[in-house]
C-alpha cells in the first residue's frame, strides 16, 4: 500500500522512512532555460569538506558513492542517496539546489518542485514564492539519530551559481569575471592578478578550489543541446577558423572573437577525447595557431594573434587547404569525425576555389560549419544547401547579426543542427569506419 503524499511548506521538516535508498528529484514543468541541479554535501559548519563533495553535472558522484546524480535534463534532474554509505560520509546534510544562468529567473519557472521518495513514501515541496532569484536551495536531507529527515528551505540567491556555491565553501569563477579580465587584457595586455583566496581555518589545510570555469558551464549547455535533439554524446576532433581581415578588427578589440572562441572551446571540451581545440586565423595569409584546452583559455586571442599579422584581405581557400592537409595528410583518422567551425564577416569572392575544396572534402571525414558575423556578402556560403557534385552534404551556413546577443542555447542548437546527421550519413557511406 502506498503512503499518502506528504506536502511540506517552507521551513517544515519530516522524518524519512528507513530505506536503503532515497531518491531526490528536482523538476519543473517549464523554464526559460535549463535548471542545473546540484547537491552540496556539507559538515556541521555548513561547508563542503572538500570540492569532491559538490555533486553536479561535471562531477556526478562523491568520493563515497553515497550521492549520485543519475539524470540531468533541462527540466528534471534525479539523485540517488545510498543511506548506508551516507552514514559513513563526513557530512551532516545534503543540500539540493538549482540554478538558472542563461536568461530568466525563478519567477519564470512553473511548478518548481523537489520530490523525495523512500520506499513507498513520497515527500513533495513546491516553491511558489520565487521572484527574481537565479539560484535556489530547495531542500536539505540531514542525519537525525539513526535515520534521516528532510527540511524544506526555499532560500534564493541572486547571481546564479557563484554566490550559491561560495556560501558552501566552493570557489567558482564567474562568467562576468572572465569577461572583465578579457576586456582588461584587450585594452592593456597586462596580466590580471590572481583573485585573493580566503584564509585557511586554523590548523586545517584548505582543499584546492574546484575552479569551475566559464568553459565548464558552457560545456554543460553543449550536452543539453544534444540531449534535446535526442543525440547520443559525440566524439570528434574540433577546429575553429577565425576571419582576421581588416573588417574584423573591431570585433577583436571588443572581445567578441574571444567570446566566440570560448563558446567553441566548450564544444571541443565536450567532444574531443582530450578537450583540445585546434585554431586557425586567416586574412591574405593564414596562421595555424597553438591548440588549446579549457585550462588555458583566458586571453587566448590577444595572446596568440596580432591584428594585421597576416594581412587585411580575405583568402579562405588558403586556410581551408591547410585545415584539410592537417586532418587528411598529417593526422589522418578515419575512425573519428572532424568538426570545423569557420567564422567569416563576409567579403567572400573566391567562390570557384571554395566550391572545389568543399566538394573534394565531401569524401573525407570533415564537416564544415560556416558562421557569418556581419551583414556582408557571403557568396557561395549562402548556397551550400544547393551545391552540386558532392559525395555527401558536408557543410552548413548561418549568419548572425550580433554574435554577443545570441543565447548559448540558441547558438549550440544552430551549430549542432546538421553535424549529428552528417555523422550518421558518413558512417552509412563508409567515410567514417
Amino acid at each position: 500500500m502506498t503512503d499518502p503524499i506528504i506536502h511540506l511548506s517552507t521551513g517544515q521538516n519530516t522524518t524519512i522512512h528507513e530505506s536503503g535508498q532515497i531518491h531526490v528529484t528536482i523538476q519543473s514543468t517549464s523554464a526559460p532555460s535549463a535548471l542545473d541541479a546540484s547537491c552540496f554535501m556539507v559538515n556541521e559548519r555548513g561547508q563542503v569538506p572538500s570540492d569532491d563533495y559538490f555533486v553536479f553535472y561535471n562531477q556526478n558522484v562523491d568520493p563515497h558513492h553515497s550521492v549520485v546524480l543519475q539524470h540531468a535534463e533541462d527540466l528534471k534532474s534525479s539523485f540517488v542517496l545510498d543511506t548506508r554509505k551516507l552514514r559513513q560520509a563526513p557530512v551532516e546534510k545534503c543540500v539540493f539546489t538549482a540554478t538558472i544562468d542563461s536568461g530568466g529567473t525563478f519567477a519564470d519557472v512553473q511548478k518548481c518542485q523537489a520530490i523525495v521518495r523512500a520506499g513507498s513514501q513520497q515527500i513533495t515541496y513546491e516553491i511558489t514564492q520565487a521572484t527574481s532569484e537565479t539560484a535556489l536551495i530547495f531542500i536539505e536531507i540531514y542525519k537525525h539519530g539513526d535515520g534521516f529527515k528532510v527540511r524544506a528551505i526555499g532560500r534564493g540567491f541572486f547571481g546564479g551559481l557563484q554566490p550559491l556555491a561560495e556560501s558552501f565553501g566552493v570557489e567558482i569563477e564567474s562568467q562576468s569575471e572572465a569577461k572583465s579580465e578579457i576586456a582588461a587584457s584587450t585594452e592593456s595586455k597586462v596580466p590580471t592578478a590572481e583573485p585573493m583566496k580566503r584564509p585557511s581555518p586554523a590548523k586545517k589545510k584548505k582543499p584546492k578550489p574546484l575552479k569551475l570555469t566559464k568553459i565548464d558551464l558552457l560545456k554543460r549547455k553543449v550536452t543539453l543541446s544534444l540531449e534535446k535533439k535526442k543525440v547520443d554524446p559525440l566524439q570528434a576532433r574540433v577546429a575553429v577558423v577565425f576571419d582576421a581581415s581588416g573588417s574584423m578588427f573591431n570585433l577583436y578589440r571588443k572581445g567578441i572573437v574571444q567570446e566566440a572562441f570560448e563558446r567553441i572551446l566548450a564544444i571541443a571540451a565536450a567532444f574531443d577525447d582530450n578537450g583540445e581545440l585546434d585554431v586557425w586565423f586567416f586574412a591574405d595569409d593564414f596562421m595555424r595557431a597553438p591548440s588549446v584546452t579549457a585550462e588555458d583559455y583566458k586571453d587566448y586571442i590577444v595572446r596568440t594573434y596580432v591584428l594585421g599579422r597576416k594581412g587585411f584581405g580575405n583568402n579562405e581557400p588558403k586556410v581551408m587547404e591547410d585545415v584539410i592537409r592537417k586532418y587528411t595528410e598529417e593526422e589522418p583518422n578515419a575512425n573519428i569525425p572532424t568538426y570545423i567551425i569557420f567564422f567569416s564577416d563576409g567579403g567572400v569572392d573566391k567562390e570557384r576555389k571554395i566550391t572545389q575544396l568543399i566538394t573534394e572534402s565531401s569524401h573525407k571525414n570533415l564537416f564544415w560549419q560556416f558562421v557569418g558575423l556581419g551583414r556582408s556578402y557571403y557568396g557561395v556560403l549562402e548556397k551550400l544547401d544547393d551545391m552540386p557534385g558532392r559525395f555527401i552534404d558536408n557543410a552548413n551556413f548561418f549568419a548572425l547579426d550580433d554574435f554577443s546577443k545570441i543565447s548559448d542555447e540558441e547558438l549550440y542548437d544552430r551549430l549542432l543542427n546538421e553535424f549529428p546527421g552528417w555523422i550518421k550519413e558518413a558512417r552509412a557511406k563508409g567515410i567514417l569506419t
Side-chain angles (χ1 to χ4, degrees):
M1 180 177 177
T2 303
D3 295 344
I5 297 175
I6 299 172
H7 296 275
L8 295 182
S9 299
T10 301
Q12 286 187 325
N13 65 75
T14 189
T15 300
I16 299 174
H17 289 177
E18 179 60 33
S19 177
Q21 290 186 335
I22 300 172
H23 297 261
V24 176
T25 301
I26 304 296
Q27 65 182 27
S28 69
T29 55
S30 68
S33 60
L35 300 185
D36 288 328
S38 307
C39 175
F40 295 89
M41 304 173 65
V42 301
N43 55 27
E44 66 279 357
R45 300 189 310 277
Q47 302 287 289
V48 293
S50 76
D51 292 321
D52 293 335
Y53 293 87
F54 173 32
V55 179
F56 67 116
Y57 54 82
N58 226 24
Q59 181 171 274
N60 68 343
V61 66
D62 71 288
H64 306 273
H65 289 254
S66 57
V67 177
V68 179
L69 174 58
Q70 279 199 329
H71 302 287
E73 302 171 359
D74 278 11
L75 301 178
K76 184 177 181 180
S77 294
S78 302
F79 299 81
V80 177
L81 285 61
D82 184 316
T83 56
R84 181 183 62 83
K85 294 177 180 178
L86 188 55
R87 288 189 184 95
Q88 305 303 316
V91 298
E92 292 301 313
K93 62 179 69 173
C94 298
V95 184
F96 293 89
T97 71
T99 59
I100 181 167
D101 292 318
S102 303
T105 69
F106 274 96
D108 308 309
V109 179
Q110 302 297 314
K111 206 169 179 62
C112 200
Q113 294 180 319
I115 299 173
V116 179
R117 294 184 178 90
S120 62
Q121 183 186 35
Q122 178 174 321
I123 304 163
T124 300
Y125 171 53
E126 182 172 346
I127 296 178
T128 59
Q129 297 181 340
T131 57
S132 56
E133 298 97 334
T134 51
L136 284 178
I137 298 176
F138 284 67
I139 61 170
E140 61 183 24
I141 292 178
Y142 57 98
K143 296 175 180 176
H144 181 74
D146 295 330
F148 295 91
K149 297 185 76 170
V150 57
R151 178 180 289 113
I153 303 297
R155 178 187 173 196
F157 288 78
F158 302 96
L161 178 62
Q162 184 178 16
L164 171 68
E166 290 182 348
S167 72
F168 297 112
V170 177
E171 185 177 346
I172 301 293
E173 178 187 10
S174 70
Q175 294 192 27
S176 59
E177 285 176 345
K179 287 183 178 179
S180 64
E181 289 174 6
I182 292 163
S185 65
T186 304
E187 293 295 328
S188 64
K189 299 184 182 179
V190 177
T192 304
E194 284 293 313
M196 185 179 296
K197 300 292 190 292
R198 294 192 187 108
S200 302
K203 299 182 180 180
K204 288 189 178 182
K205 184 178 180 181
K206 181 183 176 182
K208 184 179 179 180
L210 177 70
K211 295 293 290 184
L212 184 64
T213 69
K214 178 180 181 180
I215 308 304
D216 296 309
L217 301 173
L218 291 173
K219 177 181 173 182
R220 165 67 172 157
K221 295 172 184 177
V222 174
T223 303
L224 286 173
S225 179
L226 293 175
E227 290 175 354
K228 185 163 53 178
K229 297 174 185 292
K230 301 187 184 305
V231 175
D232 292 334
L234 300 177
Q235 184 177 11
R237 297 185 290 191
V238 181
V240 64
V241 182
F242 288 113
D243 186 340
S245 59
S247 56
M248 284 284 294
F249 282 12
N250 195 40
L251 297 182
Y252 278 79
R253 291 193 175 104
K254 286 184 175 180
I256 303 299
V257 175
Q258 174 71 26
E259 180 186 350
F261 157 75
E262 292 171 3
R263 294 166 97 173
I264 301 309
L265 179 56
I267 296 178
F271 288 3
D272 198 281
D273 58 353
N274 62 359
E276 194 168 77
L277 176 66
D278 299 325
V279 184
W280 279 262
F281 299 90
F282 80 96
D284 295 311
D285 202 353
F286 70 89
M287 171 185 169
R288 190 191 293 190
S291 299
V292 62
T293 68
E295 296 179 355
D296 194 30
Y297 78 95
K298 287 187 179 180
D299 311 332
Y300 177 85
I301 298 298
V302 73
R303 287 190 286 109
T304 304
Y305 190 77
V306 178
L307 296 175
R309 179 175 181 177
K310 294 299 178 180
F312 302 93
N314 293 79
N315 191 343
E316 294 86 1
K318 201 168 186 179
V319 69
M320 290 174 69
E321 288 172 338
D322 192 60
V323 172
I324 294 170
R325 180 163 49 249
K326 174 180 173 67
Y327 295 119
T328 64
E329 297 177 19
E330 298 174 16
E331 301 175 16
N333 187 340
N335 297 320
I336 189 168
T338 303
Y339 183 42
I340 306 152
I341 303 169
F342 197 110
F343 287 100
S344 169
D345 75 337
V348 178
D349 58 5
K350 299 174 176 61
E351 297 196 1
R352 180 177 297 179
K353 185 61 175 178
I354 292 172
T355 299
Q356 176 189 342
L357 291 170
I358 292 175
T359 302
E360 291 175 353
S361 66
S362 68
H363 293 269
K364 307 296 184 181
N365 59 333
L366 308 177
F367 183 85
W368 302 86
Q369 175 62 67
F370 293 93
V371 180
L373 290 179
R375 299 180 177 90
S376 188
Y377 176 73
Y378 294 111
V380 69
L381 301 184
E382 296 181 295
K383 307 170 187 176
L384 291 177
D385 287 340
D386 301 318
M387 183 181 289
R390 287 178 292 170
F391 180 64
I392 186 176
D393 183 354
N394 63 331
N396 185 38
F397 170 80
F398 63 86
L400 299 172
D401 289 340
D402 191 336
F403 183 87
S404 63
K405 290 185 178 179
I406 187 173
S407 69
D408 298 322
E409 288 80 5
E410 182 181 354
L411 177 65
Y412 292 134
D413 284 349
R414 297 184 72 173
L415 285 173
L416 301 174
N417 185 40
E418 293 193 12
F419 180 53
W422 171 84
I423 291 178
K424 185 176 180 180
E425 188 176 355
R427 285 173 178 157
K429 293 192 173 183
I431 295 175
L432 293 171
T433 58

